[in-house]
Amino acid sequence: MHIQTAAVQTLRDHEHGAVVPPLHLASTFELDPETADGPYAYQRGSNPTRAQLERVLAVLDGAEHGFAFATGMAATAAAFSILEVGDEVILSAGVYGGTYRLVDKYFAARGLTPRFVEDLGTLTDDDLTERTRIVFVETPANPTLRITDLRRIVELAHRHGALVIVDNTFMTGVLQRPLELGADVVVQSATKFLSGHSDILAGTITTNDADLAARFALAQKALGGVLPPFDSYRLIQTIKTLPLRLERQQANAVAIAEHLREHPAIAAVHVPGSFSEEEARIHDSQATGPGAVLSFELAPELDRVAFLRALKYPAYAVSLGGVESLICHPATMTHEAMTPEAQAEAGISQELLRLSVGIEDVADLIEDLDQALAAAR
Ligand SMILES: *Cc1c(COP(=O)(O)O)cnc(C)c1O
């Protein structure tokens, strides 16, 4: 089954003939008095609607097991909950700000050693120790769209007995399937493309490893950061249009990147693979498209605030992946926790803006960008 068919057809209520799955809101479920058992017991542990969503999540990622959480950060925290005191995690210094905060401000105080590296692409055997438990990867990276070779990281990590966790939020299983490249776990902020309408917070974990799956089920039950039934139902519905939305958003993003690259008021445009031919080759070998997020640098003589004020369509807001275009300034909005030096090292300049492209008509988006660039001169 192709992914657009799977997104629509995985859940059909054959019992009632309903074309959409039922929404079960029950917090608790009747049990057998003799065994005190049943298919469901209490909503936090599992419930029929969340279980249905989790099946779709697994199908989209080519996984055996799927888990839905209240936010992307709850999913990442649950993934990290497998760590023990003394374990080491390797991450890119430019990792998503919330993940940086989780590791640096929370887990570091509880016996975990985070190791932030400038570029996961340059990681070698010498960087991994017997303590290294997880290598955490985002590719493309945010907001630079730099690419990491997933196959290489998997080989390196597994050689040292470490797990590879990929944050696949920017790609989704539609464009990139890290588990098929050997990664152990995929986490995603479903708040972004999976939801796609900027009105749900949710997170996901998928894996093919039964032992890890048991630990993530425990994390759901023990830590409790689960996705409620109503939001689970809404995600089931939004996922039906995910491949369709992504196709349109990606086509718009490609057209905008091409237009901006020729524009005299733009100093640089960043998309997956634009950093080097090697990164382009790697991205093409592990993903089927560039996605719908790009970043660009205004020419130094332009007034950034005037540009942002003049824009009619992209809202000036954090987040990404929705049908509405959004634009943000990473240096002050998403990566403000980094020191200026760390930002410079990670390629996040004051002139850099990140654009999440929606499904609007691309002619209107390009016209809007052009008039705002003219106003910023
Ligand atoms: C938004 C985001 C997260 C966190 O997700 P929330 O749903 O906001 O908790 C994690 N990783 C990436 C790459 C993100 O963009």
Side-chain angles (χ1 to χ4, degrees):
M1 211 193 294
H2 294 87
I3 198 150
Q4 178 64 78
T5 309
V8 174
Q9 294 284 348
T10 296
L11 300 179
R12 290 272 294 275
D13 181 0
H14 292 295
E15 195 187 335
H16 303 96
V19 296
V20 300
L23 166 56
H24 288 278
L25 294 168
S27 60
T28 192
F29 298 81
E30 266 192 295
L31 303 175
D32 182 325
E34 195 181 315
T35 59
D37 211 358
Y40 299 97
Y42 186 62
Q43 190 190 107
R44 175 161 26 80
S46 185
N47 72 81
T49 302
R50 197 179 83 216
Q52 286 187 313
L53 167 66
E54 290 173 336
R55 246 180 72 211
V56 179
L57 296 173
V59 167
L60 288 182
D61 280 354
E64 291 286 322
H65 312 276
F67 301 90
F69 292 85
T71 64
M73 287 324 303
T76 303
F80 284 167
S81 74
I82 63 172
L83 293 164
E84 284 163 19
V85 171
D87 283 349
E88 215 173 71
V89 176
I90 297 180
L91 316 92
S92 153
V95 73
Y96 174 73
T99 306
Y100 189 98
R101 185 186 305 122
L102 176 73
V103 170
D104 186 55
K105 297 267 187 286
Y106 186 83
F107 278 114
R110 288 162 181 80
L112 176 78
T113 311
R115 291 246 318 277
F116 293 103
V117 299
E118 281 316 324
D119 182 359
L120 285 171
T122 61
L123 209 64
T124 66
D125 284 302
D126 296 338
D127 295 308
L128 283 88
T129 73
E130 59 191 28
R131 291 244 154 121
T132 310
R133 190 75 201 292
I134 290 173
V135 181
F136 189 88
V137 187
E138 272 169 32
T139 180
N142 172 30
T144 56
L145 288 315
R146 289 286 308 274
I147 299 302
T148 301
D149 187 339
L150 288 174
R151 290 183 185 87
R152 181 177 173 276
I153 292 290
V154 164
E155 231 180 79
L156 186 62
H158 287 178
R159 200 153 55 229
H160 294 268
L163 299 171
V164 174
I165 301 183
V166 178
D167 181 337
N168 206 34
T169 300
F170 274 45
M171 294 274 98
T172 80
V174 175
L175 297 177
Q176 180 169 270
R177 293 178 150 208
L179 299 176
E180 290 174 1
L181 303 172
D184 301 282
V185 177
V186 167
V187 297
Q188 274 186 84
S189 170
T191 308
K192 315 295 165 57
F193 286 102
L194 265 53
S195 145
H197 295 70
S198 310
D199 61 355
I200 303 172
L201 261 72
T204 73
I205 296 184
T206 50
T207 185
N208 283 318
D209 183 310
D211 287 343
L212 289 173
R215 285 157 174 260
F216 300 144
L218 174 69
Q220 280 188 316
K221 201 168 174 171
L223 301 174
V226 294
L227 193 66
F230 194 69
D231 284 339
S232 298
Y233 174 77
R234 295 205 299 150
L235 262 192
I236 288 169
Q237 293 296 78
T238 60
I239 284 172
K240 290 178 179 175
T241 57
L242 171 67
L244 201 60
R245 284 186 275 113
L246 206 45
E247 194 180 308
R248 169 65 171 256
Q249 288 176 260
Q250 177 170 271
N252 282 358
V254 167
I256 289 171
E258 271 169 20
H259 181 78
L260 292 180
R261 220 173 270 126
E262 304 299 322
H263 202 293
I266 300 295
V269 177
H270 308 285
V271 298
S274 63
F275 183 80
S276 68
E277 276 181 22
E278 197 198 354
E279 288 197 5
R281 187 186 53 71
I282 294 166
H283 186 69
D284 286 348
S285 80
Q286 64 193 18
T288 55
V293 179
L294 59 105
S295 60
F296 58 90
E297 287 163 56
L298 296 176
E301 69 275 15
L302 258 70
D303 180 340
R304 167 168 50 89
V305 174
F307 169 71
L308 292 164
R309 277 200 206 290
L311 280 175
K312 277 193 307 218
Y313 300 129
Y316 186 57
V318 296
S319 199
L320 57 103
V323 292
E324 318 75 8
S325 295
L326 300 177
I327 192 162
C328 77
H329 183 237
T332 54
M333 291 167 79
T334 57
H335 289 68
E336 77 289 354
M338 293 167 84
T339 62
E341 297 75 42
Q343 286 187 350
E345 293 253 20
I348 303 168
S349 70
Q350 284 299 316
E351 288 76 32
L352 187 74
L353 294 169
R354 186 189 77 192
L355 182 63
S356 171
V357 182
I359 64 167
E360 300 92 340
D361 193 296
V362 72
D364 291 331
L365 292 176
I366 287 176
E367 191 184 297
D368 189 28
L369 288 163
D370 281 352
Q371 65 80 23
L373 287 169
R377 282 238 174 245

